[in-house]
Amino acid sequence: MSSARVEHFERLRGEVRVPGDKSTSHRALMISALADGESTIRGLSRGTDVAATAQIMEQLGAARSVRDDVVSMVGPSEGLRVSDAALDCGNSGTTMRLLSGVVSAVPGEHHLIGDASLSKRPMDRIAEPLTLMGARVEGQGPRLSAPLRVTGTNALRGVAYDVPMASAQVKSAILFAALAASSPTTVGERVRTRPTTEEMLSRAGVSVVSIESGDGRSVTIHPGRPLARNWLVPGDPSQAAFFAVLGCIHPDAELEVLDIDSARERIGFLSVLQRMGATLSVHANDATTSFAARTSQLSATEVHASEIPSVDEVPVLVVAAAAAEGVTSFRDVGELRLKESDRFEGSLALAIKLGCRAWSDGDDLFVEGLGSAALFSNFEIDAALDHRMVMASAIAGCAGDGCSIGAAETVESSYPNFFDDLEQLA
Ligand code: S3P
């Protein structure tokens, strides 16, 4: 495994176009493979997570070709079929969870495998609703981790299911299975998560009704086959968050990030930074959001998980908190423990390495900031198999006093050009 050295850059200027949104990319491939005929996808994420989904869709019978920035995918008119070989989801939880929903409706036995990180993650959260719908999901240990055996059927039932945790992946697994059920399905969520699946299915002609109430939402989907169409993937907000924080905490920075997905559930990190006093200007048009971030004096705030429902942006917001004045609290962020690595402990450890006092109480995490990234210590970290911990560490090193990151190639899973994009700002 290779390690990366990140140095402090004196001055950062420039524009970043982050990769295509990973969530949209996985779904565009799956919906295209489920449709009858040719779809095209422009701007697909080039990370290995999305490549795993593309490879699996081919194994299940879809045909793929690539020309320049356009991926074409042809869904078989007779529908997807079982693959003799295992379906290798690599490091990608989104692939494994959404795919479980897709193959629940494909009769036969499907074997889903993943790397060491993915094989530790809980799959009981998708097994429960998919079993209620009539599929069989078998995994390892009490949390049903991978390798998984999913037995699909053409006799799935519609269900009404309230997802017990805030998880777009669980919601989406159910919605994908529901496409082939014998009656409508309603998925309830207490906290609204990214609406990517329901919105994309609706754009592909599936009947979806989404109703918001309080902080939650219910999504009712009628069975139906998605139509082939042309997809355009916006930039990935979770990747943009790294540059938003860098622009704010670096002592001499002016950065712009262009054309990211505008979904409210994805850009909560911008409001958090604004509340901390960031000089951020945000421009939204119908489809996408762009922003400019400049060197700012940040102060502490309280962040609740519901503001950033997948908690993907917490590790880099911890870096922002480390540069702020005062104690920032991150409330109810226990889901961090179940990501590609234990990001709860990883974020605490990172803040401590930077020189902060940081502690936890149950699912809450606290960071006492140093008041400036100029006071960050030089540090070493090994963020094996967790791309977001690598990138959060690199942002801290670049704004502060440098760092060395073990197994830095893990960024390949979502952002292969991350270090190049970082360097071109110097
Ligand atoms: C994702 C949902 C989130 C997020 C992941 C992508 C998705 O996971 O962490 O990076 O595309 O649906 P959870 O559903 O576990 O919150």
Side-chain angles (χ1 to χ4, degrees):
M1 296 223 177
S2 67
S3 86
R5 175 78 208 151
V6 176
E7 299 299 346
H8 171 74
F9 296 140
E10 281 307 317
R11 184 173 183 270
L12 299 176
R13 293 289 182 277
E15 219 174 72
V16 189
R17 261 183 202 281
V18 291
D21 180 42
K22 191 156 72 75
S23 295
T24 309
S25 297
H26 287 295
R27 287 149 174 93
L29 288 165
M30 290 182 186
I31 295 172
S32 301
L34 286 166
D36 179 1
E38 181 174 5
S39 296
T40 61
I41 311 169
R42 199 178 285 269
L44 199 71
S45 158
R46 294 174 196 262
T48 53
D49 279 11
V50 168
T53 295
Q55 154 73 25
I56 291 169
M57 292 303 114
E58 283 189 292
Q59 279 179 257
L60 297 174
R64 176 175 51 141
S65 58
V66 185
R67 195 162 14 94
D68 302 327
D69 188 34
V70 182
V71 173
S72 135
M73 179 141 274
V74 181
S77 49
E78 68 284 9
L80 298 178
R81 56 171 182 269
V82 76
S83 161
D84 294 337
L87 307 174
D88 189 350
C89 306
N91 187 245
S92 174
T94 310
T95 305
M96 185 167 279
R97 294 195 176 123
L98 274 54
L99 177 66
S100 298
V102 170
V103 297
S104 285
V106 179
E109 266 188 19
H110 308 272
H111 297 271
L112 279 60
I113 58 172
D115 71 4
S117 149
L118 183 53
S119 302
K120 285 195 210 135
R121 299 181 66 186
M123 295 296 148
D124 49 346
R125 49 182 63 197
I126 48 126
E128 182 178 294
L130 295 176
T131 304
L132 288 173
M133 296 177 84
R136 183 134 60 104
V137 182
E138 294 157 284
Q140 318 302 311
R143 306 290 314 257
L144 300 186
S145 301
L148 291 186
R149 182 163 62 183
V150 179
T151 310
T153 166
N154 52 17
L156 290 179
R157 304 176 278 279
V159 289
Y161 187 82
D162 286 329
V163 181
M165 67 294 290
S167 172
Q169 292 178 350
V170 176
K171 170 176 68 178
S172 303
I174 301 168
L175 293 176
F176 274 115
L179 290 172
S182 55
S183 55
T185 286
T186 298
V187 188
E189 45 184 13
R190 265 175 276 157
V191 172
R192 285 191 284 280
T193 64
R194 67 193 68 193
T196 324
T197 305
E198 55 267 36
E199 287 184 2
M200 291 178 73
L201 286 173
S202 169
R203 277 190 267 147
V206 175
S207 162
V208 179
V209 180
S210 177
I211 299 172
E212 295 186 358
S213 68
D215 291 337
R217 175 194 282 132
S218 85
V219 181
T220 298
I221 181 166
H222 291 258
R225 188 168 190 185
L227 299 171
R229 52 158 290 157
N230 302 321
W231 298 103
L232 176 63
V233 181
D236 192 323
S238 306
Q239 313 291 22
F242 295 108
F243 296 101
V245 170
L246 180 62
C248 295
I249 68 170
H250 187 280
D252 181 6
E254 280 182 42
L255 306 182
E256 256 189 285
V257 179
L258 304 175
D259 296 331
I260 58 170
D261 184 16
S262 283
R264 274 175 303 174
E265 297 81 357
R266 302 297 304 280
I267 55 175
F269 67 89
L270 290 172
S271 319
V272 170
L273 288 170
Q274 280 171 328
R275 219 162 58 226
M276 295 176 86
T279 314
L280 262 179
S281 48
V282 180
H283 312 277
N285 63 32
D286 282 353
T288 60
T289 293
S290 301
F291 63 84
R294 287 222 216 138
T295 304
S296 314
Q297 177 57 58
L298 299 183
S299 43
T301 188
E302 176 160 328
V303 183
H304 194 273
S306 57
E307 290 182 84
I308 27 175
S310 70
V311 297
D312 285 344
E313 296 79 26
V314 168
V316 78
L317 287 174
V318 162
V319 174
E325 301 261 12
V327 177
T328 294
S329 38
F330 294 88
R331 303 280 179 193
D332 204 19
V333 291
E335 275 287 313
L336 283 172
R337 297 194 175 91
L338 304 173
K339 300 290 180 179
E340 285 83 330
S341 69
D342 180 344
R343 291 184 186 155
F344 193 92
E345 289 305 323
S347 298
L348 273 177
L350 175 58
I352 291 167
K353 279 180 193 280
L354 293 174
C356 299
R357 239 167 42 84
W359 63 99
S360 62
D361 179 10
D363 285 343
D364 297 341
L365 195 151
F366 303 88
V367 179
E368 182 172 359
L370 301 176
S372 165
L375 301 173
F376 285 176
S377 309
N378 185 319
F379 67 100
E380 277 182 28
I381 200 159
D382 191 339
L385 298 180
D386 193 335
H387 54 133
R388 292 197 208 284
M389 294 310 299
V390 172
M391 293 187 275
S393 304
I395 294 306
C398 174
D401 190 27
C403 65
S404 299
I405 308 171
E409 75 279 6
T410 300
V411 295
E412 297 279 332
S413 67
S414 70
Y415 197 163
N417 290 333
F418 172 74
F419 286 104
D420 298 334
D421 285 358
L422 188 60
E423 240 160 61
Q424 59 97 19
L425 297 172

